[in-house]
Amino acid sequence: MVAGGVLSVDTAARLGSAKAMNDTDPKARGKGGRRKTPPQDVEPPEETEGVDAAFDIWLRKGLHQLYDDVAAEPVPDELLRLIEEDRNRRKS
Amino acid sequence: MKNDFHDQMIALLPKLRVQALALTRNRAAAEDLVQDAVANALAAQNSFTPGTNFAAWMHRILRNRFISTLRKQRETTDIEDLPMSAFAVSGAHEDRMVLKELGAAVNRLPSDQREALFMVVLQGLSYEEVAAATGCAVGTAKSRVFRARRQLQAWLMGEDAPERVATTEHATRRLPLGERHAEF
């Protein structure tokens, strides 16, 4: 594990990093070299600003691995019954 | 059409489960939340206008139900993380450990960010759909997803100190009143 992080050196290296490039991107910084803060009426920043593209791919894959099976589990019969009973009640 | 209403609801159940999981971080609580939300929606069926955005209507009902339950319970302790045994994960030990850390990190995100992230990544919703489902502006939906991704990157890659919760709260205070409600 990397000190201060979770991913191993190999994993982090495989992900690579575009952050250094983002940090030097003049568009990412305002006057005085400070990173610009999005305005209060929530004009969203560039979606990739400060987010490494490789990390984003890894994150998506990881989230799908973690949650796809849970999301795909069959709906409980009790819940389906609740809906069908309401449907039948309204038909009659 | 009454048949369409029930069919739409059944078709949406998997997505409601994902949203409930994002909000509760607990499988049992997520199932309960979905059931409660469905019951509420069935009772309020007459208030839904056929032909309008059913998914957004239903997602909002579930969200409101979660907020209502949370306020009643005044929960302040962490809900259990999803145990690794819940996941059908294969692969090397290190991969499983990393995924476990990802799961733990996701559970540490603010609820609104986690919810938006799940909707975009797991459900494939557009930002407009997320905004409609959560009752916020499109820009707010985008910001939530962006912040979630950036925070996870910071935690998992150890690049920056984690954002303080106060940052989110501070941002919340500056949002219009209608959107502040969403930042629970």
Side-chain angles (χ1 to χ4, degrees):
Chain A
M1 300 268 182
V2 175
V6 171
L7 303 181
S8 68
V9 172
D10 283 348
T11 304
R14 283 200 299 274
L15 288 176
S17 175
K19 188 172 187 299
M21 291 175 65
N22 286 341
D23 281 348
T24 58
D25 182 352
K27 288 189 292 186
R29 297 189 180 279
K31 292 182 180 177
R34 289 173 298 162
R35 186 171 292 279
K36 287 187 285 191
T37 303
Q40 297 316 307
D41 58 355
V42 203
E43 183 62 35
E46 288 296 321
E47 290 180 27
T48 56
E49 183 179 343
V51 177
D52 183 278
F55 174 82
D56 196 49
I57 292 170
W58 176 85
L59 172 62
R60 287 171 183 271
K61 183 181 172 187
L63 287 176
H64 279 290
Q65 278 186 276
L66 284 172
Y67 294 106
D68 277 358
D69 284 349
V70 175
E73 285 179 1
V75 175
D77 289 339
E78 184 184 347
L79 192 52
L80 289 174
R81 198 162 42 242
L82 184 69
I83 297 171
E84 291 303 328
E85 281 176 0
D86 184 83
R87 191 206 306 259
N88 294 334
R89 193 164 43 242
R90 289 175 185 268
K91 272 183 186 173
S92 58
Chain B
M1 311 259 268
K2 290 194 164 65
N3 282 347
D4 284 344
F5 179 91
H6 295 88
D7 291 337
Q8 287 183 83
M9 179 173 284
I10 291 171
L12 194 65
L13 289 175
K15 290 189 175 180
L16 292 176
R17 171 187 275 158
V18 171
Q19 182 192 15
L21 207 54
L23 293 171
T24 63
R25 299 174 293 171
N26 176 286
R27 288 179 67 175
E31 297 292 351
D32 288 345
L33 177 58
V34 171
Q35 183 150 348
D36 289 344
V38 165
N40 283 4
L42 290 173
Q45 194 173 148
N46 291 337
S47 70
F48 173 72
T49 305
T52 59
N53 191 337
F54 176 82
W57 182 79
M58 191 65 228
H59 278 300
R60 279 202 294 272
I61 286 178
L62 187 144
R63 198 170 207 266
N64 290 338
R65 180 70 197 203
F66 171 72
I67 295 170
S68 172
T69 302
L70 199 63
R71 285 175 179 162
K72 282 180 187 172
Q73 293 175 351
R74 297 173 186 267
E75 283 183 353
T76 56
T77 56
D78 289 340
I79 301 173
E80 64 180 31
D81 290 347
L82 290 168
M84 278 306 294
S85 59
F87 308 127
V89 175
S90 60
H93 175 71
E94 181 183 340
D95 288 341
R96 287 197 296 275
M97 292 303 296
V98 169
L99 275 177
K100 182 180 177 182
E101 291 296 336
L102 171 60
V106 166
N107 282 346
R108 288 201 297 272
L109 289 171
S111 299
D112 55 348
Q113 290 181 20
R114 185 170 54 247
E115 181 189 33
L117 182 69
F118 278 30
M119 284 183 162
V120 168
V121 174
L122 297 177
Q123 298 176 9
L125 298 187
S126 66
Y127 292 118
E128 288 74 17
E129 288 170 321
V130 173
T134 59
C136 69
V138 175
T140 302
K142 288 184 180 179
S143 287
R144 288 173 181 171
V145 175
F146 167 76
R147 285 174 184 161
R149 287 155 66 196
R150 191 175 60 179
Q151 182 63 80
L152 289 171
Q153 180 177 322
W155 282 338
L156 294 172
M157 297 190 72
E159 291 173 349
D160 294 306
E163 289 181 6
R164 292 176 302 131
V165 173
T167 302
T168 303
E169 291 170 348
H170 182 55
T172 299
R173 285 197 290 274
R174 291 141 114 191
L175 289 173
L177 184 61
E179 292 182 5
R180 236 174 289 163
H181 165 73
E183 302 282 345
F184 54 89

